[in-house]
Amino acid sequence: MKIEKIAQCDFLETVFIPENFDSEILIGHTGDLLSEVMRNCQENSIWVTHQSHQNIIAVSEVTGAKAIVIAENLNFNADTVESAKDASIALFKTKLSAFECCGKLYNLLKND
Amino acid sequence: MTEFRCNFHNHTVLSPCADLTMTTENYINFLTKSSLDWISITDHNSSANVRNYKKIIEENSGIKVIPGIEVQSIEEVHILVYFEHTHECEEFGKIIEESLIIKSYNQEKLGYQILTDESGEFSEIIDSPYLGSSSSYSVDKIFSMAKKYSTAVVPAHIFRANGLITQLGIPPKINFDAVEVKSEKEMEKAKKIGYSKFIFGCDSHFPQQLENISCYIEADSRNFQNFQNSLNSEKVIPVWQP
Ligand SMILES: [Zn+2]
Ligand SMILES: [Zn+2]
């Protein structure tokens, strides 16, 4: 799925989308323990988390996740947003719980 | 030079998860049975018991106590902060307490948070905030806030639950004074990801654990400078726990 289509979802607010972003989002992951995410998150994922530390960008680079959603109306740290620009990772936020957000994203990707 | 026997990670009755028997009386009982010389008090997210425990332990056992605190960051990482001065530890502890994100909690289920007076008696049960909660501050912020004082900042049990690497996956770019590991295997793992300065603690939550020696420090006296120097010069000698 194209990132533009994900960005159109009414439950997501775009924090940052890299220019010329051409990766397809194929699958999702959720988790806050970055050691677990490093083991289990798959390439071309959209990843739903509560974790705002800058290391989420490094973990996305390692796993091949292409977009991150922060749940519960939380915010990314400023240095996290800066790192996302360097690493070309798309960032979104949502007012929803991680559970609700994952449910909606799951249906969206499944029906694509 | 003397080889001091140390254990720099211990909880008191103030930590909700520590046993109710982590009283000053039991500290004295178990510490005097041990051959320890130098310890630290490191409750979760508060330093409210440090002054009285330090005074009672030092007066009754001859053991030296480093004022400390184990902070939980917003990423749920446990970080030990050791202070040269008790009043600075108290000031920092207050800032952390105020930043805790869970205010009220179920004491029966999660454990009592007990303040101790100068004579070691229970003086007050603290029902807010919940000291097992996270601070609203990030690891980076806690490091920079702690470094405004004369401190050593050391992520606790980095490969275990609430450890730096468990939570953050990759070492953040922060120049910690050391990291705490629990086994030789963990130390080797930590070396592979770039750490070279270590501390070894028992993380005592029960009185029986207070007897354990977790490391040795060689120094001419037990002052904070010598503690920090031995961390920084990679001279802390581990005693692996079974
Ligand atoms: Zn801990
Ligand atoms: Zn602890």
Side-chain angles (χ1 to χ4, degrees):
Chain A
M1 176 172 287
K2 291 265 178 256
I3 201 78
E4 290 77 22
K5 199 165 167 198
I6 288 173
Q8 280 164 13
C9 293
D10 57 4
F11 61 95
L12 294 178
E13 181 187 320
T14 300
V15 177
F16 168 71
I17 296 179
E19 266 178 59
N20 309 320
F21 188 95
D22 58 359
S23 306
E24 294 267 336
I25 301 298
L26 304 175
I27 194 165
H29 187 79
T30 182
D32 302 325
L33 283 177
L34 302 194
S35 53
E36 178 277 322
V37 176
M38 279 171 75
R39 280 198 302 277
N40 298 324
C41 184
Q42 296 175 41
E43 286 240 1
N44 293 76
S45 288
I46 184 162
W47 164 27
V48 180
T49 188
H50 305 93
Q51 191 67 266
S52 59
H53 191 273
Q54 197 181 359
N55 269 20
I56 59 177
I57 305 302
V59 168
S60 299
E61 289 186 291
V62 173
T63 58
K66 295 292 188 284
I68 308 172
V69 185
I70 193 158
E72 299 282 2
N73 209 23
L74 294 166
N75 291 301
F76 294 105
N77 294 354
D79 51 8
T80 304
V81 180
E82 286 312 304
S83 302
K85 291 176 183 168
D86 294 336
S88 291
I89 305 290
L91 300 179
F92 301 97
K93 58 177 289 182
T94 181
K95 292 191 171 70
L96 300 182
S97 70
F99 177 73
E100 290 171 303
C101 180
C102 285
K104 287 183 185 260
L105 287 172
Y106 181 87
N107 285 329
L108 187 74
L109 290 171
K110 204 175 145 209
N111 298 328
D112 188 44
Chain B
M1 291 287 252
T2 313
E3 193 171 62
F4 294 112
R5 287 156 289 216
C6 313
N7 178 22
F8 297 117
H9 188 165
N10 301 290
H11 295 269
T12 81
V13 289
L14 183 58
S15 294
C17 51
D19 204 72
L20 273 179
T21 57
M22 288 299 264
T23 57
T24 53
E25 196 182 343
N26 270 329
Y27 262 78
I28 300 301
N29 287 343
F30 283 87
L31 288 175
T32 48
K33 271 196 279 175
S34 77
S35 57
L36 280 157
D37 302 301
W38 207 0
I39 68 163
S40 179
I41 299 294
T42 52
D43 277 313
H44 290 294
N45 297 308
S46 174
S47 47
N49 266 353
V50 165
R51 179 177 295 273
N52 291 332
Y53 271 68
K54 177 175 163 68
K55 185 164 177 283
I56 292 167
I57 293 164
E58 289 184 344
E59 282 177 2
N60 291 282
S61 72
I63 291 168
K64 273 281 231 183
V65 179
I66 297 178
I69 184 169
E70 183 176 20
V71 181
Q72 181 169 317
S73 74
I74 190 68
E75 304 91 346
E76 301 195 355
V77 175
H78 286 188
I79 305 162
L80 296 160
V81 185
Y82 300 106
F83 287 78
E84 180 169 14
H85 304 294
T86 304
H87 68 277
E88 293 188 344
C89 182
E90 289 171 333
E91 186 181 304
F92 182 80
K94 287 241 166 61
I95 298 170
I96 296 301
E97 274 188 50
E98 279 161 20
S99 76
L100 295 178
I101 60 177
I102 302 176
K103 303 298 178 195
S104 62
Y105 81 109
N106 184 326
Q107 300 183 21
E108 280 88 53
K109 280 201 176 129
L110 296 171
Y112 293 95
Q113 307 177 153
I114 301 166
L115 270 188
T116 298
D117 68 15
E118 285 171 337
S119 56
E121 301 294 321
F122 290 177
S123 60
E124 198 185 324
I125 296 178
I126 311 225
D127 57 6
S128 171
Y130 174 44
L131 299 178
S133 129
S134 293
S135 159
S136 59
Y137 298 122
S138 68
V139 175
D140 304 61
K141 179 78 182 165
I142 287 162
F143 180 81
S144 63
M145 283 163 63
K147 281 298 173 187
K148 289 183 186 141
Y149 307 96
S150 175
T151 52
V153 183
V154 179
H157 42 74
I158 61 169
F159 295 114
R160 306 291 174 98
N162 297 110
L164 181 78
I165 302 304
T166 310
Q167 300 300 124
L168 296 186
I170 299 163
K173 292 185 189 71
I174 302 174
N175 195 9
F176 293 112
D177 292 274
V179 295
E180 187 196 57
V181 291
K182 310 280 279 181
S183 68
E184 200 165 0
K185 220 173 130 189
E186 286 188 7
M187 188 171 73
E188 292 312 316
K189 229 165 110 183
K191 283 180 181 168
K192 283 198 188 114
I193 55 174
Y195 291 113
S196 61
K197 300 181 283 185
F198 299 104
I199 200 168
F200 316 92
C202 292
D203 201 357
S204 314
H205 284 72
F206 295 92
Q208 293 72 21
Q209 296 170 293
L210 290 169
E211 285 182 279
N212 298 338
I213 298 163
S214 59
C215 54
Y216 296 108
I217 284 183
E218 268 182 37
D220 49 19
S221 70
R222 293 167 291 176
N223 63 39
F224 191 76
Q225 207 51 52
N226 286 338
F227 169 71
Q228 194 142 34
N229 286 345
S230 51
L231 289 183
N232 293 340
S233 56
E234 308 172 17
K235 290 252 173 63
V236 182
I237 303 157
V239 179
W240 303 120
Q241 307 300 312

